[in-house]
Amino acid sequence: MVETVSDVLGGEYHELPPLSESIDLDVLEAAVTTDSPPDVTVLFTDAGLHVTVSSTETVYARPIEPGSDVSVETTRIEG
């Protein structure tokens, strides 16, 4: 998730504020674990981005500014 946010911002993830400043990480993990129903989605803002995380392990991030067309979507594939 942090890498997706970093990709959209064009920076290194270690330069970003801690994700825990934007969302309770324990709650996020509990909501979107692989044991969650497949339709659970969590939306929040982080580092000037709208971030969407789903229980299907998809992370989507896009800038909050209207009219910006930069976005990144990643899906973690186990294997």
Side-chain angles (χ1 to χ4, degrees), residues 11-48:
E12 296 294 323
Y13 68 89
H14 64 272
E15 297 172 355
L16 298 173
L19 187 58
S20 61
E21 290 181 9
S22 298
I23 191 166
D24 183 319
L25 298 177
D26 293 332
V27 171
L28 176 63
E29 182 178 355
V32 295
T33 63
T34 55
D35 295 336
S36 299
D39 58 351
V40 174
T41 302
V42 177
L43 307 165
F44 62 98
T45 59
D46 180 47

Side-chain angles (χ1 to χ4, degrees), residues 4 8 58-61 71-75:
T4 301
V8 172
T58 300
V59 179
Y60 179 77
S71 65
V72 172
E73 181 175 341
T74 58
T75 302

Side-chain angles (χ1 to χ4, degrees), residues 64-69:
I64 292 174
E65 304 94 38
S68 178
D69 61 354

